[in-house]
Amino acid sequence: MNTFIQVLVNGILQSGTYMITTLGLALAVGVVGILNLAHGEFLMVGAFLSIIFYTVFGIDPLISILIVSLLILLLGIGTYKISLKKVLDSAEVNQLLLTFGISIILQNIAVLYSGSKEVMVINPPYRDLSWNIEGIGISFSKTLVFIIALILVITLFYILNNTKVGKSMRAVEQNRYGAYIVGINADRIFKIAFGVSVGLAGLAGVMLSIILYATPFIGFNYTLKAFAIIMMAGMGNLRGILWSSLILGIIESALGTYVPGGTGWSEGIFFFIILIILLVKPEGIFKK
Amino acid sequence: MAEKIILETRGITKYFGGLRAVYNISLKLNEKNILAIIGPNGAGKTTTFNLISGVFPVSSGNIIFEGKDITKTNPAERCHLGIGRTFQIMQPFEDMSVLENITTGALFGRHKYSLKEAKQKSLEIAKRFGLFEYKDFVGSKLPLAYRKKLEIARAYATSPKVMLLDEVMEGLNPAEAREMIETIFSLRDEGISIIMIDHIMFTIKELADWVIVMNYGEKLTEGKYDDVVKSKEVIEAYLGKEETC
Amino acid sequence: MKKKILSYLGIFIVAIFPLIAYFMPGTKYFLQVSIDILMYTILALSWDMLVRTGQASFAIPGFYGLGAYVAAIFTKTLGFPIIFSIIIALLISSIVAWLLGYLTLRLKGMYFAIATLAFSLILMTLVIQLKDITHGSEGISTITMFAGNKYMIYYLIFITFVIVIGISEYIQRSKYWYSFTAIRTNEQVAKVMGINTVRQKVVMFVISAMIASLIGTYETFIAGFIEPHSVFNLSIGVMALAMVIFGGIYSTIGPIVGAVILKIIDEILSTTIGLGYMIVYGLIIVITILYLPKGVLGIWQKK
Ligand SMILES: Nc1ncnc2c1ncn2[C@@H]1O[C@H](COP(=O)(O)OP(=O)(O)OP(=O)(O)O)[C@@H](O)[C@H]1O
Ligand SMILES: [Mg+2]
């Protein structure tokens, strides 16, 4: 029984990682329709900056998180202005390739910085803190990630549904030309959405630097998983991301506990689930 | 009636989720006849074409072509049997020239011409429909009237026995419309049976042997043009709507 | 006409290239590089042929790895001769591709890309986990072909290259150019025009998969050793795709030019700059997309 609860707890906490890494991309892909393959690399840059701030300036990630997110948001807006803007109206594959090119550039800037394939880790004092409630271990930092992820999902959900800028974003996705007619400046909306999207990636990177590690190459895997979760949830469905992350997180944690050598299967199972969902319900299982 | 029925639908119905787009439509198309479907916007006319050409499966009902039930066949098979159609929202293949668009129809249509034959045919067809001077243009760059012609030429290239023409008159100036009417007559004279969707009354008056009026997915009435326009239901359905030309 | 002469000249140069390497000492290295280039050219072509039907696939690493592993297992564990292992690898890949092709048929754009990517990653997990058969992530070592003779290997790949060019050009000049272009630009209209889109997409998917798988089997017998992370490497698929875009999509010459140029740049940069050299590669992709959307050949290439 205790193991089962532990599995559940770990799964739920793991889902926080999925949520926080997916959220920003969901805004870009699902809400305004920008396919960003460099999402994970923006996240990686966030993690790197967090680590640099901590090791070089001694600033705790929980403090630098605001600066880092803002920096990456600006980086995103810059990226949008000089490149992405130009491919928004061309074929999907062009967006994918352009952002793929950007991801290679970011990755290799990180390689140039960190020199080798050395793994970068930081140890803020609360990293290994955990509670023990009736034999169930609950990691503090993972709980923190989970809670922040949850808050962000809810906030974003609220913004999209209740504010002018949020409604404009959805209008732009539904009909770019129509939005233009009713006076929404589509370009500005794209710029903001993309900036916020990668800003959120940077924020996720900072949070992950607390619980995991960073190398220049961690990005792509996050991008893939984020894309997969978005598809599982159904395009533009933020609530679906919550559920999808929970399901995947719990399955992963159960695999690790109940199946011998199960963690090795987790990536395969993850993509197997995604494949099945795409084949059976391509519109996502949590369609609005 | 001594005339032979080439195409028939028996109570075809189409639901999109909860929306009933087409309900219980039965129609008969006689060989070498022109049948017109009219009705207000959103009446389900285009959807009826989509059902006949197999773009969507029917929710219920049957489609009979030359005495055979084709309800379960796919669009390509229906094309091979001899059902050709144009699209209301014109959709030339983007990466192809006008001639290549037509060649595609000839290659994969009812006769499945060889590439050499198909290229030959497409030149003839381009000439016949007045597209020759535009033959190397990219389809989407054509003026509207020529895009309409391309829609017809491409469908004609598949060697259809029945052609479904979806609003091929719309947006044409009087001279162009005149030309289009002649084109449709020439197709009929060649032995092709035609169903056309249109809003423009004088063309229907001139062309149609039989008229079906649809509204809210249902068949409101049918008959000869002169009888149909006098019927109370039709006047009601169109009342308050914009002048139909 | 001029184009035709140029193409034959190009193939002729590729054909006699090893002779240069043979007579000029110290150029063996170039032979190895050109083998790599040719292999990528073939992969890029296989990706381009499929994308002509509108399907941008990420299954290349999956089939490349599948071919590599089936070939390795059949020679190493079951003691089959190389040629039979290759044939079996092709058979298995074609069956898998046929199934996957049918299943993923309805998916488009990003959905198709992710589904095929998922396929590649699932296969990799299977190979890593089924240790009894595959030796897991340690990899598997087997024999090399032609006792490692690079000239023989070069010519085998050269022959494959010519055949694949033949297939690609056949598609470009036959009725399939029309049907593929139609399916890519508007599948629904293509159907109404009598094109059996299902069959054409699946058949092309299978052919493309078999080519990737074949190159995978070559990799096994060139290196004599394979491991999952290198043969199921997603960057194989991504490179092939980048080469196509860079050279010029929907053509035979585009992917070839793209593969040759990018692979040479890759080679030069990795030896001169070393670590982080890929940054230049990223810039090239970005600049191509932004300023040469039809690839380097887009300027004077029509079809
Ligand atoms: N693919 C579809 N999915 C959902 N609803 C559809 C689809 N196609 C048509 N409809 C709906 O079915 C109804 C009938 O549409 P249809 O296009 O057949 O009308 P129409 O008579 O051709 O109108 P118009 O004169 O404007 O061309 C409309 O309410 C339309 O919104
Ligand atoms: Mg209509």
Side-chain angles (χ1 to χ4, degrees):
Chain A
M1 190 59 204
N2 255 3
T3 347
F4 178 70
I5 295 176
Q6 183 71 61
V7 164
L8 225 51
V9 167
N10 289 349
I12 292 170
L13 294 184
Q14 173 64 23
S15 76
T17 314
Y18 286 150
M19 274 183 238
I20 207 164
T21 49
T22 307
L23 190 64
L25 189 63
L27 178 64
V29 176
V31 184
V32 290
I34 299 176
L35 306 178
N36 180 15
L37 275 187
H39 184 77
E41 273 68 28
F42 284 104
L43 183 149
M44 177 272 296
V45 175
F48 264 64
L49 287 180
S50 156
I51 291 167
I52 291 168
F53 270 110
Y54 189 75
T55 49
V56 180
F57 306 108
I59 303 174
D60 191 276
L62 294 180
I63 296 167
S64 69
I65 192 165
L66 286 177
I67 315 167
V68 173
S69 311
L70 195 69
L71 282 176
I72 295 194
L73 187 146
L74 294 176
L75 180 64
I77 289 181
T79 309
Y80 174 84
K81 274 190 175 162
I82 55 174
S83 63
L84 255 173
K85 186 179 168 164
K86 295 177 182 151
V87 296
L88 284 184
D89 288 325
S90 51
E92 241 181 31
V93 69
N94 284 6
Q95 282 183 39
L96 287 172
L97 278 168
L98 178 77
T99 52
F100 173 68
I102 294 170
S103 79
I104 295 181
I105 295 173
L106 291 176
Q107 200 178 81
N108 285 281
I109 291 176
V111 169
L112 289 176
Y113 172 81
S114 72
S116 62
K117 283 184 183 172
E118 200 179 311
V119 175
M120 315 222 299
V121 201
I122 48 171
N123 269 309
Y126 45 83
R127 182 178 177 109
D128 296 321
L129 213 64
S130 80
W131 296 293
N132 193 317
I133 304 170
E134 314 242 349
I136 312 282
I138 303 174
S139 146
F140 166 78
S141 43
K142 283 191 174 171
T143 308
L144 198 64
V145 172
F146 180 79
I147 291 172
I148 290 183
L150 210 57
I151 293 174
L152 287 173
V153 173
I154 293 168
T155 313
L156 195 63
F157 190 78
Y158 178 84
I159 290 176
L160 285 177
N161 287 302
N162 296 298
T163 68
K164 189 157 166 270
V165 89
K167 284 178 185 161
S168 312
M169 282 179 190
R170 301 194 324 169
V172 167
E173 159 62 358
Q174 271 147 27
N175 187 340
R176 220 168 278 179
Y177 185 68
Y180 171 78
I181 299 287
V182 298
I184 295 172
N185 182 341
D187 182 52
R188 201 176 68 98
I189 294 296
F190 277 120
K191 191 170 67 191
I192 295 174
F194 188 74
V196 172
S197 160
V198 301
L200 284 169
L203 187 150
V206 178
M207 290 313 292
L208 293 191
S209 75
I210 300 173
I211 56 172
L212 296 165
Y213 58 91
T215 77
F217 307 101
I218 55 170
F220 196 59
N221 214 357
Y222 284 118
T223 308
L224 278 187
K225 290 202 169 175
F227 262 108
I229 291 171
I230 290 169
M231 286 175 169
M232 179 167 171
M235 281 295 156
N237 182 357
L238 289 180
R239 225 178 311 183
I241 287 173
L242 234 145
W243 293 117
S244 306
S245 302
L246 270 174
I247 293 175
L248 291 168
I250 290 170
I251 289 178
E252 191 174 321
S253 131
L255 266 177
T257 312
Y258 294 120
V259 181
T263 39
W265 287 100
S266 73
E267 184 150 302
I269 302 276
F270 183 98
F271 284 104
F272 185 71
I273 296 172
I274 301 300
L275 182 62
I276 297 297
I277 290 168
L278 281 175
L279 296 181
V280 180
K281 269 189 118 268
E283 68 277 16
I285 46 175
F286 298 106
K287 200 183 146 204
K288 279 181 282 195
Chain B
M1 266 205 297
E3 284 179 287
K4 220 177 114 201
I5 295 168
I6 183 160
L7 177 81
E8 185 183 350
T9 71
R10 296 185 185 150
I12 52 173
T13 295
K14 180 69 188 178
Y15 287 91
F16 291 113
L19 177 82
R20 197 179 73 181
V22 168
Y23 182 69
N24 198 22
I25 294 292
S26 297
L27 59 80
K28 289 190 174 108
L29 173 64
N30 288 324
E31 218 163 47
K32 296 178 199 164
N33 265 18
I34 299 176
L35 169 71
I37 301 181
I38 62 171
N41 292 109
K45 305 179 297 291
T46 299
T47 307
T48 305
F49 271 16
N50 283 332
L51 296 179
I52 297 175
S53 58
V55 170
F56 300 133
V58 297
S59 302
S60 64
N62 292 84
I63 302 163
I64 318 290
F65 181 74
E66 293 187 314
K68 282 189 299 271
D69 190 319
I70 58 162
T71 317
K72 295 243 152 60
T73 56
N74 66 38
E77 286 163 343
R78 292 186 202 188
C79 170
H80 299 152
L81 287 171
I83 299 178
R85 76 168 282 188
T86 68
F87 288 84
Q88 180 179 1
I89 302 165
M90 292 152 288
Q91 314 192 343
F93 296 124
E94 288 286 335
D95 294 353
M96 285 187 188
S97 71
V98 164
L99 207 58
E100 287 162 344
N101 265 279
I102 302 173
T103 308
T104 309
L107 278 170
F108 296 95
R110 185 159 62 93
H111 291 314
K112 299 205 179 66
Y113 291 112
S114 72
L115 186 54
K116 208 170 144 214
E117 291 165 334
K119 280 184 172 166
Q120 186 60 39
K121 277 270 172 229
S122 67
L123 277 171
E124 288 164 21
I125 294 172
K127 275 185 197 139
R128 167 175 175 173
F129 290 96
L131 287 163
F132 192 74
E133 52 184 318
Y134 288 105
K135 68 180 174 24
D136 297 320
F137 270 57
V138 174
S140 52
K141 299 243 164 72
L142 286 176
L144 177 88
Y146 288 86
R147 260 183 290 158
K148 297 268 181 195
K149 288 180 185 177
L150 176 55
E151 277 288 327
I152 295 183
R154 196 174 58 174
Y156 177 79
T158 65
S159 323
K161 296 174 184 166
V162 168
M163 278 180 92
L164 313 175
L165 308 178
D166 198 345
E167 303 205 8
V168 289
M169 297 285 178
E170 190 214 6
L172 300 187
N173 67 35
E176 291 164 344
R178 191 70 249 156
E179 201 187 327
M180 188 60 87
I181 291 175
E182 297 310 325
T183 303
I184 294 173
F185 272 131
S186 77
L187 291 171
R188 200 267 317 268
D189 293 344
E190 219 177 278
I192 298 173
S193 321
I194 291 166
I195 308 183
M196 54 183 293
I197 294 175
D198 222 310
H199 286 299
I200 301 164
M201 288 304 178
F202 82 88
T203 62
I204 293 168
K205 182 178 163 74
E206 190 172 346
L207 282 164
D209 298 301
W210 197 254
V211 178
I212 289 180
V213 186
M214 285 182 73
N215 197 15
Y216 297 114
E218 295 185 55
K219 183 161 75 183
L220 212 53
T221 178
E222 65 182 310
K224 296 262 185 217
Y225 174 82
D226 294 322
D227 304 330
V228 161
V229 285
K230 280 188 218 116
S231 93
K232 214 176 97 231
E233 298 104 312
V234 175
I235 295 168
E236 267 169 20
Y238 276 95
L239 213 65
K241 268 190 57 70
E242 85 276 281
E243 271 303 312
T244 46
C245 202
Chain C
M1 197 57 214
K2 219 167 139 192
K3 241 187 216 170
K4 208 168 179 178
I5 294 171
L6 271 178
S7 330
Y8 285 126
L9 189 70
I11 291 188
F12 179 70
I13 292 173
V14 180
I16 60 157
F17 182 80
L19 297 180
I20 305 171
Y22 185 77
F23 287 114
M24 304 217 326
T27 47
K28 270 244 164 82
Y29 161 75
F30 291 111
L31 199 58
Q32 179 57 47
V33 173
S34 17
I35 288 174
D36 279 356
I37 293 177
L38 278 186
M39 290 192 13
Y40 266 102
T41 314
I42 297 168
L43 287 175
L45 270 172
S46 83
W47 190 80
D48 186 78
M49 285 191 267
L50 181 59
V51 85
R52 288 174 205 168
T53 67
Q55 302 288 70
S57 157
F58 269 101
I60 284 189
F63 286 109
Y64 180 91
L66 184 65
Y69 261 91
V70 172
I73 290 166
F74 272 84
T75 44
K76 166 89 177 195
T77 318
L78 302 170
F80 277 54
I82 288 180
I83 178 77
F84 282 119
S85 306
I86 292 180
I87 291 170
I88 290 167
L90 289 182
L91 272 176
I92 292 179
S93 304
S94 63
I95 294 167
V96 174
W98 192 81
L99 275 174
L100 186 69
Y102 256 99
L103 289 172
T104 54
L105 201 67
R106 284 182 309 141
L107 302 175
K108 297 219 177 344
M110 195 174 42
Y111 293 89
F112 180 77
I114 296 275
T116 46
L117 192 101
F119 162 78
S120 298
L121 293 171
I122 292 165
L123 270 189
M124 177 160 88
T125 310
L126 279 173
V127 165
I128 293 173
Q129 291 300 108
L130 299 176
K131 295 191 180 66
D132 295 340
I133 309 172
T134 62
H135 301 243
S137 42
E138 280 165 30
I140 192 169
S141 59
T142 179
I143 41 179
T144 55
M145 53 184 172
F146 308 121
N149 182 327
K150 288 273 188 286
Y151 293 97
M152 298 294 280
I153 292 172
Y154 182 93
Y155 278 108
L156 175 68
I157 294 170
F158 172 71
I159 291 167
T160 314
F161 172 70
V162 173
I163 293 172
V164 173
I165 289 182
I167 300 174
S168 170
E169 274 302 287
Y170 173 71
I171 293 171
Q172 291 301 82
R173 289 153 199 261
S174 68
K175 64 177 186 178
Y176 295 109
W177 179 83
Y178 294 86
S179 55
F180 284 12
T181 310
I183 295 171
R184 177 175 81 232
T185 48
N186 197 324
E187 188 164 351
Q188 204 162 68
V189 180
K191 282 181 185 160
V192 172
M193 305 283 288
I195 297 170
N196 188 335
T197 59
V198 171
R199 193 175 59 207
Q200 299 222 356
K201 275 160 68 173
V202 173
V203 168
M204 196 57 244
F205 189 74
V206 172
I207 293 174
S208 163
M210 285 174 75
I211 294 171
S213 171
L214 181 65
I215 300 299
T217 64
Y218 289 172
E219 172 63 24
T220 298
F221 298 124
I222 291 173
F225 170 77
I226 50 168
E227 48 110 10
H229 288 283
S230 68
V231 293
F232 288 101
N233 193 341
L234 289 183
S235 67
I236 296 172
V238 170
M239 288 272 278
L241 175 160
M243 288 162 172
V244 170
I245 305 286
F246 178 72
I249 199 167
Y250 313 138
S251 67
T252 304
I253 186 75
I256 297 175
V257 169
V260 172
I261 297 180
L262 285 193
K263 199 67 196 158
I264 288 175
I265 291 177
D266 194 282
E267 200 63 36
I268 294 173
L269 292 177
S270 67
T271 45
T272 52
I273 303 180
L275 215 60
Y277 77 94
M278 290 279 284
I279 201 169
V280 183
Y281 199 70
L283 282 170
I284 289 175
I285 294 177
V286 168
I287 290 167
T288 312
I289 297 292
L290 289 180
Y291 301 104
L292 297 169
K294 285 185 178 160
V296 285
L297 289 179
I299 307 152
W300 49 272
Q301 175 90 20
K302 199 202 150 223
K303 185 157 130 183

